[in-house]
Amino acid sequence: MDQNEQQPTEQNAITEEHTEHPPVNEDENKKEPAPASETYTPTNKTRGGKSGLIGGIVGGISSAIIVAMLFSFQIIPIGADGNKDSGNGATSSDSPEIVKTMASDGAETAANIEEASHAVVGVINLQQQDIWTPSEEAGSGSGIIYKKKDGKAYIVTNHHVVEGAQEVEIVLHNDERIKAKVLGSDKLSDLAVLQTDGEKIDTVASLGSTKDVKVGDTVLAIGNPLGLEFANSLTKGIVSGMNRSVSIDTNGDRQPDWITEVIQTDAAINPGNSGGALVDGNGNVIGINSMKIARQEVEGIGFAIPVDAALPIMEQLESDGKVIRPFIGIGTAPLNQVPPQYRQNVQVPENVEGGMVIANVEPGSPADEAGLQQFDVITKINGENVTTILELRKYLYAETTVGDLINIEIYRGGKKEIIKLKLTDRNSNV
């Protein structure tokens, strides 16, 4: 999104939408990096065994104690390329019916733990260091073979495992390597779907559901901790918590951009486990391992994206290559973060305690068509308070769809107005 000199600030302006090509220019909002002890980073398995930094995941769990831990400790997406990370998605009420159709073309559905481990593969992120050399391994993670159809096999992994890859390979349980391509990847949900030749794939995972999962249930994490040397490792633990809410920073500005619900487990999850399976005692996949808290005094706090939340995202990535989300076309900043030199342009009644100030309006966007202007203060959408970027995104992505007509309450020049706006897909404005 282009910025201009009249915007309130480059650092505080945040866009409200995320798509396959995030509308926010990641350079717009970058700030000086925090000290390593305060930075929320992924720990990905990279060449030389070093952990890569990411501005990717910022902590925030619903429990007050865990909230404090997440915002003061490091959150680690446990994956591949050492650069980026992110879970989101509506729960699919018909997940069991979807699961039954996953295996085809002669592949057997995993019926136990051992077979489930055969459906978990290594995912190698290959990147070219310069134009004169071939692609080299930049990192490795894990993936789950969830479907085989029409001679092709499909693998789900984390977005941060394959981000930036020029080439991708998967490594089967027998150490054989096969080239794969990324069908689609979504930063906000931290999911990606790969496709490969299914000729040598003989087992696909059995996808379960979190509907009946309870705290205390036994689970196992399957993946490739520390890389392929320990491929198909299993660690055992329990479900420590359900529906944990974790705040996520997707653009590296150390500000939360989204909140995702995850499964918390004490099963050991290590660098390289990203994209691997969290399975129940029967080998059914109930989650996709994604991140953990990393600090010396913290043990056994890992997180997985629930399979029920992942399935609708996987289907969109497989068929469309992206996740379609409603788009407004604005850059915003919280009311209390408007720089002093612009505050005279923002007028609201004294009883208005919060809101989102429009920093810029993208030309040709729904916001532009609806007549929204710089320095308008958004306070509600369809009667729901939206005083932060998280509230705005959460309402848009959970409660609206492309094509909906919404009412946006704004204050312009100190006077309240209702603006009607029709939501579109971002690509329809490109």
Side-chain angles (χ1 to χ4, degrees):
M1 175 180 302
D2 294 333
Q3 299 239 343
N4 56 62
E5 296 180 358
Q6 296 180 340
Q7 296 169 2
T9 173
E10 290 183 349
Q11 289 186 337
N12 292 324
I14 308 172
T15 55
E16 94 288 355
E17 63 281 334
H18 279 269
T19 62
E20 181 184 10
H21 304 287
V24 181
N25 184 331
E26 294 186 4
D27 291 329
E28 290 176 343
N29 300 313
K30 285 184 179 176
K31 302 180 181 179
E32 290 298 319
S37 61
E38 298 178 2
T39 304
Y40 310 104
T41 65
T43 310
N44 297 321
K45 173 62 181 174
T46 58
R47 289 180 296 118
K50 295 183 179 179
S51 299
L53 294 181
I54 173 184
I57 300 289
V58 178
I61 301 291
S62 54
S63 163
I65 295 176
I66 300 298
V67 169
M69 292 172 62
L70 285 176
F71 276 100
S72 59
F73 299 167
Q74 291 178 306
I75 288 274
I76 300 189
I78 336 97
D81 70 351
N83 294 317
K84 304 284 181 184
D85 184 23
S86 171
N88 159 45
T91 298
S92 175
S93 60
D94 59 348
S95 296
E97 284 68 35
I98 295 174
V99 171
K100 291 176 182 176
T101 67
M102 289 299 180
S104 58
D105 283 6
E108 296 292 332
T109 302
N112 53 48
I113 300 294
E114 182 179 6
E115 292 179 1
S117 71
H118 290 176
V120 176
V121 298
V123 179
I124 308 300
N125 182 319
L126 299 169
Q127 298 184 21
Q128 192 174 21
Q129 304 304 313
D130 57 62
I131 61 174
W132 307 108
T133 59
S135 296
E136 300 177 1
E137 181 177 329
S140 64
S142 306
I144 307 167
I145 304 171
Y146 69 92
K147 177 180 177 180
K148 182 179 176 184
K149 186 176 182 180
D150 297 332
K152 302 293 183 182
Y154 299 83
I155 299 99
V156 61
T157 185
N158 288 138
H159 165 83
H160 70 261
V161 170
V162 297
E163 187 173 18
Q166 270 102 26
E167 299 177 59
V168 175
E169 291 181 350
I170 64 166
V171 184
L172 304 180
H173 66 91
N174 59 4
D175 295 330
E176 185 166 2
R177 292 195 176 205
I178 306 175
K179 289 188 178 297
K181 67 176 180 179
V182 180
L183 290 183
S185 189
D186 181 57
K187 179 182 290 188
L188 197 60
S189 65
D190 194 21
L191 290 172
V193 169
L194 316 178
Q195 183 189 75
T196 190
D197 188 342
E199 181 181 358
K200 298 180 180 180
I201 306 298
D202 53 15
T203 305
V204 300
S206 172
L207 301 185
S209 172
T210 56
K211 181 175 60 176
D212 298 320
V213 174
K214 302 183 295 297
V215 172
D217 285 354
T218 298
V219 290
L220 297 95
I222 308 175
N224 305 311
L226 305 181
L228 299 177
E229 182 180 357
F230 299 101
N232 291 105
S233 291
L234 278 70
T235 56
K236 184 178 180 181
I238 63 169
V239 174
S240 305
M242 295 293 295
N243 302 318
R244 297 297 200 194
S245 296
V246 177
S247 299
I248 299 170
D249 168 25
T250 61
N251 58 15
D253 65 354
R254 292 181 55 81
Q255 299 296 317
D257 303 309
W258 181 245
I259 296 177
T260 183
E261 291 188 352
V262 291
I263 303 168
Q264 180 186 339
T265 179
D266 68 346
I269 297 176
N270 297 290
N273 273 123
S274 270
L278 187 70
V279 303
D280 62 20
N282 296 316
N284 300 310
V285 178
I286 63 168
I288 300 165
N289 299 323
S290 180
M291 50 190 162
K292 66 181 288 185
I293 294 179
R295 186 153 175 161
Q296 187 173 1
E297 62 268 34
V298 177
E299 296 181 6
I301 302 181
F303 305 103
I305 302 168
V307 69
D308 296 324
L311 275 169
I313 304 295
M314 291 158 57
E315 290 175 342
Q316 287 194 61
L317 293 176
E318 184 183 323
S319 60
D320 303 325
K322 62 181 180 179
V323 177
I324 299 173
R325 296 186 176 97
F327 168 68
I328 290 181
I330 54 175
T332 66
L335 184 60
N336 60 3
Q337 292 184 18
V338 176
Q341 64 267 34
Y342 296 105
R343 287 177 186 164
Q344 72 273 13
N345 300 105
V346 180
Q347 301 177 31
V348 294
E350 292 184 1
N351 63 336
V352 175
E353 298 180 353
M356 298 302 297
V357 180
I358 295 179
N360 58 58
V361 177
E362 187 169 329
S365 67
D368 188 26
E369 297 292 331
L372 288 173
Q373 301 175 13
Q374 187 182 46
F375 302 120
D376 286 347
V377 181
I378 298 176
T379 54
K380 293 182 180 181
I381 295 180
N382 288 345
E384 297 291 328
N385 291 329
V386 285
T387 59
T388 68
I389 194 70
L390 286 180
E391 290 176 349
L392 187 148
R393 287 194 181 114
K394 192 163 187 177
Y395 184 83
L396 280 183
Y397 299 164
E399 304 296 334
T400 69
T401 60
V402 172
D404 284 357
L405 187 67
I406 61 173
N407 293 321
I408 301 180
E409 179 183 289
I410 67 165
Y411 283 89
R412 179 180 296 168
K415 296 182 179 180
K416 183 169 72 173
E417 297 184 26
I418 302 295
I419 302 293
K420 292 187 178 298
L421 179 147
K422 185 175 182 179
L423 297 171
T424 69
D425 169 18
R426 179 173 178 80
N427 286 346
S428 67
N429 296 275
V430 176

